[in-house]
Amino acid sequence: MISRRRLGGLAATMGVAALARPGILRAQQLAPEQVMQVGFPVADTGTLDPHIAVSNADVPIVQQVYEGLLALPHGALDATQLSPGLAERWESSPDRKVWTFHLRRGVRWHGDFGEFSSADVLFSLERVRGTTLGSPFRGTLANIAKAEADGPLTVRITLQHADVGFPALMVNHQAGYVVCKRAVEQGVNLRSRPIGTGPFRFEAHRARERLTLAAHDAYWGGRPVLRQIVYHFMPDNATRELALRSGDIDLTALPARQDAVDRARAQNQIVDLTDVGNLVTIHINMKKPPFNDVRVRRALAHGIDRQNLSDFFGKDIATPQLSVVSAALGGHTTDIPLYAYDVDRAKALLAEAGHPNGFATEVICSSIDLYLPMMQLMQEQWKKIGFTMNLRVVDHPTYHRLIRQDLSPLVAYSAARYPTVAQPYLDQFFHSAAAIGKPTAITNFSHYGNGMPGIDDLLDKARYSTDAAEQNRLWAEAQRRIATEVAALPLYSVKYALARNRRVDLTFTQKNYVFYGFSRTSRLLRA
Amino acid sequence: MRRFLIRRLLSAIVIVWAVATIVFFSMRIIPADPAEVVLGEHASAESLAAFRRQAGLDQPLLAQYWDFISRAVVGDLGQSLVNNAEIAPQIWFVLPYTVVLAFASLGVGILIGIPIGVLAAVRRNSWIDLASRCFALLGFSFPAFYLGVALLLLFSIWLGWFPVMHSIRFGTWAEHLYKLVLPALSLGLIQAAYITRLTRSTMLEELRKDYVRTALAKGLTMRRVLFNHGLRNALVPIVTAIGLYAGSSLGGAILTETVFNRPGLGKLLVGAIAQRDYNLIQAGLIVFALVIVAVNLAIDLSYGFLDPRVKHD
């Protein structure tokens, strides 16, 4: 027996189904409330100014609010697949020194800041290049000789040296973000109130609790499907995992461990493993005894069991790497001297270097999950060859301060650089100008090339070469020299583990980045 | 009484000033500053210098200290060094959450701890006493965050009675109370362990005293002797310990707020320490100190009510 009410419902359902075209049917499957609840794995954001933001606590939010002249594919840091963003099209002079960008008409800034124009682009470029703001991306735009507007919708940028890869810098990433000139001139603090042109606008921020973005309905690409994205600051791994399981949040980041990944999969959640080319490396200070002896450095290299490291973190998380340029970066090669895991050979090298009974050194280590377990494993591995590494564990900000004061002979560092080719990584870690202690210091902890032969000649040639094959040859030679001298010990590349429930339809594949991003079409489906 | 209050107020001012000064200088001894944390690992020396200039961190230390103290005296807590947001509204928003949690957990601790402690003292060496001692031992050795996760697993995941996220969609007072249950239990059960043990030992001491024997000999019921005389006398050291415990209760709220993802002063401060947001840390700890001073003053005043022999001269 079927009730009248149930019969009515059934008839209505059948009617809808009969009338539904595919598009309508898809709309029927949307969740009634398009509010994405995000378990954001940090205590709070730091700064939302796109020209300053570098941390994992800031960048994922900045990406939703701001845009660049060109756009990277959703979810991928792939500079070979750029598409129009705030610029509809772009072209260069035959010598690749002058680049012209034709801007999109009718793009609205969030809030009441009017329409986007070339003045905003020039202002943004100057903001990054100038010294007032102190943008960490200033060096990225060092090749720009001048930038000028040709009317409100055209920008022309002249470079000092030809650069075929210049468009890759004008994207929705770091130095390429465009900020609103009028907002800054009116005194809006972009650190806490971002004003962009992206599909989502800043709505509210409660310190250490949550940050809310709302749909920017005047977005040039169309009205976003998600009405709100709520980032809940949840630094505790266990709470995030339980909240995802209970359905309180829709997506989050997992600890980079195989057990967490397996547990999420067992609970029918979708796990996305993203690769940002993050390479975990131990840099060796080549000036400090006994590490100034190449035999000692080679002994350490022979004492590394990469498979053991990879097994510990899990097959989905860690992949052994042999070169200081990760396999995910353009220009990577393994045609370099390789040091197989060989305890006897390592001991023999140490004995040859005058340490038949081994030696001990204090090494500073960060307390975060990315470094401490790895260094503890290395401690165990190197104990077998006679090297006792006494770890002095400090909190992460302290670690960054101390290693920049050259206080640790071995420095563990996990890093990825953009654009995803070898040059920026090699420049920052192995060019003599980047050596710690110099006014131009960045992250050359090994001091390679600083008062000793290095790879400056190769990097300076490769930087502005317009011949891709020649660039690859130079980068490969640089990797060979680094491996011969053992300036650093590449260990493994690490993937980020993200998890979402099955209601979340990103509408693209999250391939790179440390956290989930959203597009105009991202949506929540009915459970 | 007035002299007592004035004296306590003056000592409170000295305590808060000392806390503010120690925090100010100790934060600056710790390596790394907000510029390094905000600008990240590949910031240039130039970028760092620009940030420090804008935040006033390039000024001499004593000038920074004078600026901080002179603002604090007039109640100006300043702005966050990380995102320039005003600090006062942030603290006033989260403070009630922490105070409510601390008092609710203390309430749980008292409601569970005192009756069990009294019962254990009266039924000394019985199975009740043994169970109460086991409970106290378990409470001492259980880390707060672990208990929090265990409660979440039991009540939120398996039974589905409470949400995991305690910050989502706060609305009515009833909802506030509903979402207070698990955090208050998590913190309160551990406090109950301390209070149980303290109550048991103080009551045992009281029950051995002559006035108890005399009262019983005169024919008073055990219940009357216990609650009208014994417990009342035992309460003075118990309340003192609870007052001292209020400080660690606020400290314990930090872990509980993190595990239950609940807004609060502890959570605010943990994030600020990680970001080296000196201004926010200083302001937060001053408020912490003020709350603890106020609680201890209230405890001191309560002695007069608990024991008429105590006079505040």
Side-chain angles (χ1 to χ4, degrees):
Chain A
M1 181 106 178
I2 192 164
S3 73
R4 199 167 61 180
R5 192 171 162 187
R6 201 158 161 221
L7 189 65
L10 196 62
T13 310
M14 288 167 70
V16 168
L19 289 171
R21 286 173 295 153
I24 296 173
L25 190 62
R26 202 162 50 237
Q28 292 291 312
Q29 294 166 343
L30 285 183
E33 194 184 35
Q34 290 294 319
V35 178
M36 188 73 78
Q37 305 285 355
V38 178
F40 204 38
V42 297
D44 201 349
T45 57
T47 173
L48 298 176
D49 186 327
H51 294 152
I52 292 180
V54 285
S55 88
N56 296 347
D58 307 322
V59 173
I61 295 171
V62 163
Q63 282 171 341
Q64 312 310 314
V65 176
Y66 286 98
E67 293 179 296
L69 293 178
L70 312 180
L72 290 160
H74 283 298
L77 257 175
D78 185 354
T80 63
Q81 291 185 51
L82 301 181
S83 60
L86 291 172
E88 282 180 316
R89 59 196 167 84
W90 64 100
E91 71 237 357
S92 78
S93 60
D95 64 358
R96 301 284 193 263
K97 280 181 84 171
V98 181
W99 290 85
T100 308
F101 296 88
H102 302 279
L103 310 187
R104 196 177 290 279
R105 190 186 293 276
V107 174
R108 305 286 307 175
W109 288 105
H110 301 160
D112 300 321
F113 293 100
E115 227 168 83
F116 154 80
S117 75
S118 56
D120 297 305
V121 180
L122 297 186
F123 176 77
S124 300
L125 291 174
E126 273 317 301
R127 195 166 181 261
V128 176
R129 294 170 68 210
T131 52
T132 317
L133 179 71
S135 170
F137 314 125
R138 190 169 169 241
T140 314
L141 302 185
N143 190 24
I144 294 180
K146 65 175 177 181
E148 55 201 343
D150 184 5
L153 294 175
T154 307
V155 169
R156 191 170 298 117
I157 298 172
T158 308
L159 306 180
Q160 296 175 43
H161 309 276
D163 184 3
V164 283
F166 182 70
L169 303 181
M170 295 291 102
V171 296
N172 48 335
H173 190 67
Q174 298 183 341
Y177 283 119
V178 180
V179 300
C180 179
K181 182 179 184 225
R182 190 178 295 167
V184 176
E185 285 175 348
Q186 287 181 12
V188 173
N189 180 3
L190 296 187
R191 282 203 224 161
S192 52
R193 190 188 159 202
I195 303 290
T197 55
F200 299 98
R201 63 182 168 80
F202 172 81
E203 188 173 75
H205 175 217
R206 276 218 178 279
R208 275 81 191 175
E209 194 199 336
R210 74 180 96 165
L211 184 141
T212 309
L213 300 180
H216 175 40
D217 285 335
Y219 182 56
W220 57 266
R223 192 170 178 266
V225 180
L226 288 174
R227 306 318 297 155
Q228 269 189 332
I229 305 170
V230 186
Y231 293 87
H232 299 274
F233 302 125
M234 303 175 71
D236 188 69
N237 287 337
T239 312
R240 285 201 312 280
E241 203 177 317
L242 292 176
L244 183 67
R245 207 167 143 186
S246 70
D248 283 352
I249 56 172
D250 297 306
L251 46 83
T252 192
L254 299 173
R257 290 196 319 260
Q258 191 68 42
D259 63 308
V261 169
D262 293 343
R263 224 168 22 244
R265 283 182 179 144
Q267 287 153 16
N268 198 28
Q269 285 148 3
I270 300 171
V271 175
D272 298 289
L273 297 164
T274 65
D275 189 355
V276 293
N278 221 345
L279 177 67
V280 179
T281 305
I282 295 179
H283 298 265
I284 307 175
N285 188 332
M286 297 165 76
K287 289 192 161 180
K288 279 197 178 166
F291 303 103
N292 54 348
D293 186 333
V294 72
R295 291 168 298 187
V296 172
R297 301 197 297 270
R298 284 178 185 156
L300 297 193
H302 278 297
I304 298 173
D305 180 357
R306 288 182 177 77
Q307 197 52 50
N308 168 257
L309 289 169
S310 171
D311 291 345
F312 178 82
F313 291 102
K315 60 180 169 39
D316 286 330
I317 302 295
T319 310
Q321 295 285 335
L322 301 169
S323 171
V324 292
V325 171
S326 147
L329 299 184
H332 159 82
T333 183
T334 48
D335 182 16
I336 55 172
L338 300 173
Y339 301 90
Y341 176 53
D342 186 341
V343 174
D344 294 334
R345 176 85 187 112
K347 280 181 174 170
L349 278 165
L350 282 185
E352 204 180 301
H355 306 285
N357 300 318
F359 66 100
T361 302
E362 184 181 90
V363 170
I364 300 170
C365 179
S366 166
S367 60
I368 65 169
D369 285 349
L370 190 59
Y371 293 126
L372 186 56
M374 179 275 287
M375 286 300 270
Q376 285 167 334
L377 282 176
M378 288 314 307
Q379 194 177 37
E380 286 305 309
Q381 290 190 8
W382 278 335
K383 198 183 276 178
K384 291 179 191 158
I385 66 165
F387 169 43
T388 306
M389 181 165 65
N390 297 316
L391 293 178
R392 182 178 151 205
V393 182
V394 296
D395 80 326
H396 198 56
T398 303
Y399 177 68
H400 276 288
R401 164 69 72 90
L402 298 182
I403 60 175
R404 279 168 179 77
Q405 290 173 346
D406 228 1
L407 292 176
S408 187
L410 301 181
V411 173
Y413 214 94
S414 166
R417 293 290 177 260
Y418 181 83
T420 49
V421 289
Q423 186 75 33
Y425 193 90
L426 292 173
D427 266 341
Q428 293 187 16
F429 285 95
F430 300 101
H431 195 285
S432 67
I436 296 302
K438 285 193 165 184
T440 49
I442 308 177
T443 41
N444 181 351
F445 300 106
S446 62
H447 292 268
Y448 190 45
N450 182 22
M452 65 182 87
I455 52 169
D456 290 5
D457 54 330
L458 303 172
L459 293 180
D460 293 341
K461 256 191 233 169
R463 189 169 301 116
Y464 296 119
S465 171
T466 50
D467 179 352
E470 172 66 358
Q471 267 188 328
N472 277 322
R473 189 191 66 74
L474 292 164
W475 290 334
E477 178 56 24
Q479 289 167 74
R480 268 190 288 277
R481 283 193 204 170
I482 293 167
T484 305
E485 289 300 321
V486 200
L489 303 164
L491 300 177
Y492 55 91
S493 59
V494 64
K495 284 184 181 153
Y496 287 86
L498 309 175
R500 58 192 155 106
N501 64 38
R502 296 197 172 269
R503 294 193 326 135
V504 177
D505 180 14
L506 295 173
T507 67
F508 59 86
T509 306
Q510 188 74 49
K511 286 165 69 178
N512 309 125
Y513 297 110
V514 297
F515 196 72
Y516 282 116
F518 306 98
S519 74
R520 185 192 71 78
T521 51
S522 296
R523 58 197 186 153
L524 283 165
L525 302 175
R526 202 179 281 276
Chain B
M1 182 72 166
R2 186 184 294 171
R3 278 179 56 199
F4 169 78
L5 278 177
I6 291 171
R7 213 167 52 233
R8 289 305 305 263
L9 210 61
L10 286 175
S11 69
I13 291 170
V14 174
I15 289 168
V16 172
W17 168 78
V19 167
T21 304
I22 292 167
V23 169
F24 179 90
F25 288 105
S26 57
M27 278 315 296
R28 280 154 180 83
I29 292 168
I30 301 172
D33 68 5
E36 288 162 72
V37 177
V38 171
L39 296 180
E41 58 196 53
H42 47 274
S44 65
E46 201 176 46
S47 312
L48 293 168
F51 186 101
R52 288 180 187 129
R53 195 170 50 247
Q54 285 164 17
L57 296 171
D58 58 339
Q59 298 295 311
L61 205 55
L62 283 178
Q64 289 182 49
Y65 177 68
W66 175 249
D67 182 53
F68 156 61
I69 287 289
S70 52
R71 282 163 178 266
V73 166
V74 293
D76 179 2
L77 298 179
Q79 294 173 322
S80 157
L81 288 175
V82 173
N83 59 20
N84 282 3
E86 287 294 330
I87 288 172
Q90 295 183 41
I91 289 187
W92 301 139
F93 173 74
V94 297
L95 185 62
Y97 286 93
T98 301
V99 172
V100 166
L101 174 61
F103 279 99
S105 61
L106 210 54
V108 170
I110 291 169
L111 285 177
I112 296 175
I114 291 183
I116 294 182
V118 171
L119 208 61
V122 174
R123 303 258 188 272
R124 196 183 172 195
N125 294 331
S126 69
W127 69 266
I128 296 177
D129 187 25
L130 187 71
S132 88
R133 277 187 282 167
C134 287
F135 168 69
L137 193 67
L138 209 62
F140 284 131
S141 39
F142 231 84
F145 70 91
Y146 195 80
L147 182 59
V149 173
L151 288 173
L152 280 176
L153 258 178
L154 177 63
F155 291 105
S156 302
I157 300 293
W158 295 337
L159 296 174
W161 291 355
F162 295 95
V164 173
M165 295 277 293
H166 284 65
S167 63
I168 289 186
R169 299 182 200 97
F170 264 112
T172 61
W173 273 104
E175 260 183 282
H176 274 268
L177 285 175
Y178 170 59
K179 287 175 179 174
L180 187 62
V181 174
L182 285 191
L185 263 182
S186 160
L187 200 54
L189 283 174
I190 291 168
Q191 294 180 21
Y194 284 88
I195 296 172
T196 301
R197 196 158 161 154
L198 188 67
T199 309
R200 179 184 175 276
S201 60
T202 334
M203 277 304 286
L204 277 176
E205 210 169 297
E206 289 299 322
L207 291 177
R208 278 193 213 110
K209 286 187 178 167
D210 291 344
Y211 75 89
V212 173
R213 200 179 305 118
T214 311
L216 288 172
K218 285 172 76 178
L220 260 67
T221 60
M222 187 62 183
R223 180 179 296 196
R224 193 148 175 208
V225 172
L226 266 182
F227 294 105
N228 285 16
H229 302 285
L231 184 58
R232 195 162 175 186
N233 286 330
L235 271 181
V236 174
I238 293 171
V239 168
T240 308
I242 288 172
L244 291 173
Y245 202 77
S248 50
S249 171
L250 282 171
I254 295 174
L255 280 175
T256 310
E257 285 163 1
T258 305
V259 171
F260 289 92
N261 209 49
R262 187 185 151 83
L265 193 55
K267 203 170 164 226
L268 192 75
L269 279 175
V270 169
I273 291 167
Q275 290 180 322
R276 301 289 196 270
D277 194 340
Y278 299 154
N279 290 357
L280 186 50
I281 298 165
Q282 286 157 194
L285 288 177
I286 287 175
V287 172
F288 242 117
L290 280 171
V291 172
I292 290 172
V293 165
V295 167
N296 279 288
L297 182 62
I299 296 289
D300 283 352
L301 291 174
S302 74
Y303 293 156
F305 298 102
L306 291 172
D307 187 348
R309 291 169 297 178
V310 177
K311 297 272 183 251
H312 296 298
D313 296 325

